[in-house]
Amino acid sequence: MTSWEKNIRKVVPYVPGEQPKEKNIIKLNTNENPYGPSKKVMEKAVELENLKLYPDPAASMLVEAIADYHGLSKEQVFVGVGSDDVLAMSFMTFFNSDKSILFPDITYSFYDVWAELFKIPYERVAVNDSFRIVASDYYKDNGGIIFPNPNAPTSIAEPLSFVEDIVSHNQDVIVIVDEAYVDFGGETALPLIDKYDNLLVVRTFSKSRSMAGLRIGYAMGNPKLIKYLNDVKYSYNSYTMNMPSIVLGVESIADDEYFKSTVAKVIETREWFKQEIEKIGFSCPTSAANFLFITHDTKGAKEIFEAARKENIYVRYFNKPRIDNYLRVTIGTREEMEKFLVFLKKYLNV
Ligand SMILES: *Cc1c(COP(=O)(O)O)cnc(C)c1O
């Protein structure tokens, strides 16, 4: 190794799901929402002007729209470039103890990457055999806690009482609940942010709002937490959010009817698809997300994954301990799921 290479920050990066360039793909691999954003968002997009100016560094319009929507003050909301940005910023801001932060062994695979990147000690706490997070495993001494609810890629949601159990046992550290999928059937921890000043709830526009391409995420919590996040953000990059994202994010919030109707369609398709695949030998946990975590009685997940890919149907396969016989299948349109079902029946000869 050349000597300069010794002092380089080396990380094994997170590997996002494939974004194939070909057309005619049934894309069920990265939990996007198939319906796209509201018409109001699209109309506003063509009217965008003043791209020559720097955006508002505080993204105030969007912060206020989100705060209003959730009945919070603007001091309780932080926005960022997708929840990945918000979460990375939160790791940097809140996880600075010498003690290990805790998160489930089966969870969003970015958490250990950020921990490595920021040199934060961490421990992966095993979920049980039914892939459930066990609250009492998080009672021990730690440097902070993060978990998604509903969890990914398992799709399992825990009730508010479960989240409160963990938060109340950990009032000396920051607890982050990643609610990327909560709109699809989870119970939000938002009512707890006034009661617990150490709780941060993180959301995204990428899944339920069908705006993954615009990169909008946000955190809600006690004004003190939000101030600390902003201090770190302004010390890193003042203009994290671009102007189109700020403006179009506000439009998305304004069209609540559209938002709720597409979420309802995804849920309806999910429940139908779950019933259909259970008839042909698949099983999966009850999902509160826009995906199902499926496994088959006899056929291996990897084989199914590869065969589907040959037919231009992309789902997600994780070659990881405990979950390497599972597929994470995003809920697309009814038509896309029907095509996937036809493929599965043909492939399984049923
Ligand atoms: C998709 C996802 C995110 C990141 O979403 P962004 O597009 O960066 O907002 C964060 N956490 C979980 C659990 C996710 O599934």
Side-chain angles (χ1 to χ4, degrees):
M1 210 188 274
T2 46
S3 54
W4 54 260
E5 222 170 340
K6 280 203 299 273
N7 296 319
I8 281 179
R9 187 179 294 261
K10 297 181 195 71
V11 286
V12 182
Y14 171 77
V15 184
E18 276 179 281
Q19 296 293 350
K21 299 284 182 292
E22 301 90 347
K23 293 260 172 349
N24 301 322
I25 299 262
I26 298 184
K27 195 172 175 306
L28 309 175
N29 67 333
T30 51
N31 293 348
E32 288 130 338
N33 177 330
Y35 297 108
S38 139
K39 267 210 188 70
K40 291 189 180 156
V41 172
M42 300 315 289
E43 282 163 14
K44 195 78 179 178
V46 295
E47 293 168 13
L48 289 171
E49 51 189 30
N50 261 341
L51 288 170
K52 67 187 174 196
L53 301 180
Y54 277 111
D56 170 15
S60 308
M61 272 173 63
L62 183 57
V63 166
E64 280 165 30
I66 292 168
D68 276 357
Y69 186 75
H70 291 294
L72 304 174
S73 73
K74 59 186 197 308
E75 289 75 27
Q76 291 172 293
V77 176
F78 174 84
V79 296
V81 186
S83 53
D84 284 343
D85 179 51
V86 174
L87 290 166
M89 227 37 105
S90 302
F91 270 56
M92 232 194 286
T93 310
F94 301 123
F95 295 158
N96 291 290
S97 156
D98 298 331
K99 295 175 193 161
S100 291
I101 63 165
L102 307 178
F103 49 81
D105 63 337
I106 298 171
T107 195
Y108 188 40
S109 47
F110 226 135
Y111 299 156
D112 51 357
V113 175
W114 286 316
E116 294 279 348
L117 175 65
F118 300 129
K119 304 182 195 293
I120 302 163
Y122 63 96
E123 184 187 329
R124 292 191 193 93
V125 182
V127 296
N128 72 14
D129 289 340
S130 343
F131 296 140
R132 302 286 292 269
I133 302 172
V134 180
S136 56
D137 291 346
Y138 293 78
Y139 293 175
K140 62 185 167 194
D141 206 23
N142 65 73
I145 291 172
I146 179 162
F147 59 93
N149 193 35
N151 196 6
T154 63
S155 78
I156 300 169
E158 299 297 344
L160 186 59
S161 55
F162 169 96
V163 177
E164 181 157 16
D165 186 358
I166 291 187
V167 179
S168 66
H169 278 89
N170 287 281
Q171 295 185 50
D172 295 336
V173 297
I174 305 303
V175 178
I176 302 176
V177 183
D178 180 351
E179 294 191 338
Y181 300 103
V182 76
D183 295 319
F184 299 104
E187 201 179 344
T188 182
L190 210 49
L192 299 179
I193 65 170
D194 289 328
K195 190 166 171 193
Y196 298 96
D197 60 5
N198 60 320
L199 171 65
L200 192 75
V201 175
V202 176
R203 298 270 186 99
T204 177
F205 279 45
S206 300
K207 285 40 186 265
S208 54
R209 292 191 177 274
S210 202
M211 292 169 84
L214 277 168
R215 315 302 303 124
I216 305 172
Y218 59 103
M220 297 171 286
N222 181 278
K224 223 169 162 180
L225 294 185
I226 301 305
K227 185 200 173 293
Y228 281 124
L229 267 174
N230 273 312
D231 288 348
V232 167
K233 170 215 150 140
Y234 286 120
S235 312
Y236 190 75
N237 174 2
S238 315
Y239 305 107
T240 52
M241 294 212 69
N242 66 51
M243 189 269 267
S245 297
I246 295 170
V247 172
L248 301 180
V250 171
E251 288 304 311
S252 168
I253 296 273
D255 197 350
D256 202 41
E257 197 182 320
Y258 177 83
F259 164 68
K260 290 198 168 120
S261 73
T262 56
V263 166
K265 275 201 272 191
V266 170
I267 293 172
E268 192 189 327
T269 309
R270 176 186 76 204
E271 294 310 306
W272 163 78
F273 185 72
K274 183 174 194 281
Q275 277 185 359
E276 292 301 313
I277 59 169
E278 281 170 353
K279 292 178 197 159
I280 57 172
F282 285 97
S283 52
C284 57
T286 297
S287 170
N290 66 339
F291 58 88
L292 292 172
F293 196 49
I294 70 173
T295 187
H296 194 260
D297 292 347
T298 54
K299 275 280 180 207
K302 190 156 187 265
E303 290 169 69
I304 304 172
F305 164 76
E306 280 162 1
R309 204 169 179 283
K310 285 201 184 104
E311 298 295 315
N312 282 338
I313 303 169
Y314 284 62
V315 297
R316 194 83 191 261
Y317 173 69
F318 300 94
N319 196 357
K320 289 188 171 174
R322 301 188 74 185
I323 57 169
D324 60 358
N325 202 28
Y326 282 79
L327 296 173
R328 193 195 66 190
V329 179
T330 305
I331 303 303
T333 61
R334 172 81 181 222
E335 195 191 356
E336 287 173 320
M337 302 320 281
E338 276 169 2
K339 286 184 180 156
F340 184 39
L341 193 61
V342 167
F343 159 80
L344 288 172
K345 287 179 175 169
K346 208 164 120 196
Y347 180 69
L348 298 166
N349 265 321
V350 290

